Amino acid sequence: KFSFGVGYVHPDAIAHLLPSSSSAADVTGADDSQLMQDDIQILFGTENIYLSIRLYMLLVTMLYQAKDAIAVSGYTSCKAAIVDFIKSKTDLKEFESTIRGITDKNVFNIVAIPSLVQSCGDAMAKVVEEDVIDILYHCSQLKLKDLNQLRSLSIDVAEEAVYRLQISSSANQVFFSYIPADVELQLSNALASEKRNLESGENDDDTKRLKTE
């Protein structure tokens, strides 16, 4: 069934199938009230996916720091030096000397970038090898507001999908959490709830005292 009615799909047009379990039921029929808001993206991933994203974020951060510390023309030369070193066109000593000739700020960070690029590549290769990122990504694109359902669906795909990755594009924030499969997903802030209960209790006591007086 499609949004426009009943249709047929040729088998070779199907990239992959979602698991046939109770957690996958009725996800295609969800209305807008059951869907996550557009600026929030949540994916339950494996440790390899988590590590690859953390390393990539660190790489982007370090490149931005280098860009902020160097003039535009110097940053272009800096990127060229990084690429040449990664391609083994220069050795470490020559690479570091080139960077020091461009800037005297954050040299230690810039010199570490090629090693980080290698780590990112290794991490992404492991993600490709486990071959679950495509299906987990499509699970996240269902945009389900019921995170327990999304989590169950993801664990059906990969039992190791125990890392919650949440992106809030409007706030430019990324959140990570580790949630083992046997641990219940916390959907509310327990500390905030406890604070509200305490405040409610204090208000009740004040009301009782007023009535007594």
Side-chain angles (χ1 to χ4, degrees):
K1 293 183 178 181
F2 296 93
S3 58
F4 56 81
V6 177
Y8 298 91
V9 178
H10 200 273
D12 59 12
I14 300 174
H16 56 257
L17 298 174
L18 293 176
S20 56
S21 69
S22 57
S23 62
D26 298 329
V27 294
T28 56
D31 57 36
D32 290 343
S33 65
Q34 297 174 297
L35 302 180
M36 190 68 65
Q37 59 196 73
D38 291 338
D39 69 325
I40 294 179
Q41 181 72 48
I42 297 179
L43 180 144
F44 288 92
T46 63
E47 182 174 335
N48 286 329
I49 294 173
Y50 163 74
L51 290 175
S52 68
I53 293 177
R54 289 303 296 261
L55 287 170
Y56 178 74
M57 290 175 61
L58 178 58
L59 175 61
V60 172
T61 299
M62 291 176 68
L63 287 171
Y64 269 112
Q65 289 174 345
K67 186 175 182 180
D68 291 340
I70 307 173
V72 176
S73 58
Y75 182 64
T76 302
S77 300
C78 180
K79 286 195 298 181
I82 292 173
V83 171
D84 286 344
F85 180 68
I86 292 174
K87 292 182 176 180
S88 300
K89 293 182 178 180
T90 58
D91 59 21
L92 179 58
K93 184 177 181 180
E94 183 179 355
F95 170 58
E96 186 171 344
S97 297
T98 301
I99 298 301
R100 291 187 182 279
I102 297 171
T103 180
D104 58 355
K105 299 178 180 178
N106 292 335
V107 173
F108 61 95
N109 272 340
I110 299 172
V111 172
I113 287 176
S115 297
L116 183 55
V117 171
Q118 180 63 49
S119 297
C120 285
D122 293 342
M124 290 180 181
K126 291 180 180 179
V127 170
V128 172
E129 288 174 4
E130 66 182 5
D131 196 26
V132 294
I133 180 62
D134 190 41
I135 305 178
L136 290 175
Y137 171 75
H138 281 281
C139 287
S140 74
Q141 293 306 293
L142 295 172
K143 303 289 284 184
L144 297 174
K145 186 179 291 185
D146 185 347
L147 296 186
N148 276 315
Q149 187 179 14
L150 176 58
R151 183 193 186 198
S152 297
L153 190 61
S154 301
I155 290 177
D156 284 343
V157 173
E159 293 181 359
E160 300 80 13
V162 293
Y163 288 84
R164 174 181 171 178
L165 296 78
Q166 179 172 329
I167 300 173
S168 178
S169 57
S170 61
N172 293 321
Q173 292 179 315
V174 181
F175 303 94
F176 299 95
S177 57
Y178 170 67
I179 312 172
D182 58 347
V183 174
E184 184 178 352
L185 180 62
Q186 185 74 41
L187 298 177
S188 60
N189 188 327
L191 293 177
S193 299
E194 183 178 350
K195 183 180 179 180
R196 284 195 298 270
N197 291 335
L198 290 173
E199 291 175 349
S200 176
E202 291 174 356
N203 292 334
D204 290 343
D205 291 339
D206 292 339
T207 301
K208 290 178 181 179
R209 284 195 293 271
L210 288 172
K211 288 181 177 179
T212 301
E213 294 172 357

